[in-house]
Amino acid sequence: MRFAPLALLIATAHAFQQPLRPLKPGALGKKPGRLLAAAAGEQKQTGASVPATTLGVAKNLIGAGTFAMPAAMSRTMAPGASLAGGLAAPLAMMVALASMSAYCFNMIGRATNGERATLGEAWEAAGLGSTSWLIKGGTVLKCASACLMYGIVLADLGVPLVASAVPALATRARVLAATMAVAAPLCLAPTLDSLKPFSLAGLASTLLVVAFMGLRCFTPDRVAVAAAPAAAAAGSGATIILLSTLATATLAHYNAPAFRAELADPQGPTANRRFAKAVAGAFALTTLVNGLVAALGVATFGTGRPDIPGFVLNAYGSATSKVVDTLADAARAVFFFSFLTSFPFAFAGLKDGVTPGAWTPPAKKALTLGMLGGLGVAAHYVTDAGFVVAFAGATLGSALTYVIPSLLLLKTKGDALSKLEKGACKLITAAGFAFMSLGGFITAKSYF
């Protein structure tokens, strides 16, 4: 993982040396776009509306990274700092990075022009095939880290839930084994159409959990961690960790081609404008939810608190102490169901990258079950979701969010871009490499 910045630097140098090559119609093939059809429940013949695309992208963004925000933001503040003054700078960074991430997400839609493809295939079609293995490999690794985050959160939520019902079975290993067994049929499904009934569960459950956090913000006597003395801030690396966490919390760029391809009339004259509108709405909604979760968490637990769990729901009630909080247990149960039914969406990218179409169905099934088992084992030993969110965001997340989209747009639409936008693309590429190198090093150093 530590060589990821160097590998992407080689790819970048190669990319700038290639002649500009716009994507040709049909160059990316006609692979069925499953993501938005499953998320929005709309027919492929008619395509997705702007509101449906907005909700689809937002649901893809809001997840474990959202609930890592309180810990990441609190660490950047001095103990005892005022809430308004302490949150001003972190929230400004959140808005700035979300805006840049949304711009890069839209870049991919413009570069692929509604063709159905993966990010790696788009890179190949742009004339960069010799380095496409870096993009495909990075996407698989990022999907694997996302699946690992799901496993960590599911274990963190599942153990206390099982303990309240069957204490003898409440071990991390048993809960993870049962969770992966339940998720296996969904992950083995050839399409994601069967998950349509659960497509809105993620966003609805997130809003319910935010409402719970708001209630507990006004009843701090029910919160176990808030009773602990404030600790010193995490040091100068706290800001870098926050930036890495923010990068992961606004990362779904490997699915951008699918969202654009599923848009109604994805290659029509107004497609770019409609997609940009949907992306702007999705990132604005995500930023609003992320900011609200961060503010409620910091208001509840205080500033300068490195002891806030990476997944903030672990800080409430009976999950971490003898303080009984039935409402907190209900919030964890709701979020557990949401994560369990959302897990196959994250796993689909990993499965598609590791098991290409040439594999026979029995081999795909065996490898899929093997990957689920491996993720369960990894989630058993890697227990800090905050580290996974921050490190993945600093390295792979920064590459997929900033570096690859800007290079892809330069290679496919370079002749049509203004000097200002060309300069912006190059600046974003440089910023992405800075996040990857500095963020990965400081994140690892801070945690180990």
Side-chain angles (χ1 to χ4, degrees), residues 212 216 219-230 300-301 305 307-309 312-325 328 332:
F212 160 76
R216 282 292 170 262
T219 55
D221 57 301
R222 303 298 303 275
V223 182
V225 174
T300 301
F301 302 114
R305 295 295 301 273
D307 56 335
I308 298 177
V312 74
L313 276 187
N314 287 344
Y316 294 91
S318 51
T320 56
S321 72
K322 296 180 180 180
V323 177
V324 177
D325 191 341
R332 276 186 281 270

Side-chain angles (χ1 to χ4, degrees), residues 354-417:
V354 177
T355 60
W359 287 60
T360 60
K364 276 191 173 185
K365 180 178 180 180
L367 188 55
T368 297
L369 293 175
M371 288 190 292
L372 284 172
L375 286 169
V377 172
H380 178 265
Y381 290 102
V382 181
T383 59
D384 191 340
F387 170 72
V388 176
V389 170
F391 190 77
T395 54
L396 300 174
S398 295
L400 292 170
T401 304
Y402 308 120
V403 177
I404 294 169
S406 53
L407 289 178
L408 188 60
L409 187 67
L410 282 171
K411 298 302 294 182
T412 57
K413 307 290 185 181
D415 288 337
L417 299 180

Side-chain angles (χ1 to χ4, degrees), residues 185-289:
L186 301 178
C187 293
L188 287 168
T191 69
L192 299 180
D193 289 343
S194 59
L195 298 179
K196 286 181 182 178
F198 310 110
S199 62
L200 290 174
L203 185 56
S205 64
T206 298
L207 296 178
L208 286 173
V209 174
V210 172
F212 160 76
M213 292 180 64
L215 177 63
R216 282 292 170 262
C217 185
F218 294 100
T219 55
D221 57 301
R222 303 298 303 275
V223 182
V225 174
S236 59
T239 300
I240 299 298
I241 294 174
L242 173 61
L243 291 172
S244 301
T245 304
L246 292 172
T248 297
T250 54
L251 170 62
H253 293 61
Y254 40 79
N255 287 329
F259 281 115
R260 172 59 188 266
E262 289 296 311
L263 191 69
D265 192 15
Q267 295 178 327
T270 64
N272 281 341
R273 179 177 57 81
R274 288 183 287 113
F275 187 68
K277 184 178 179 180
V279 171
F283 277 80
L285 177 59
T286 301
T287 303
L288 178 63
V289 173

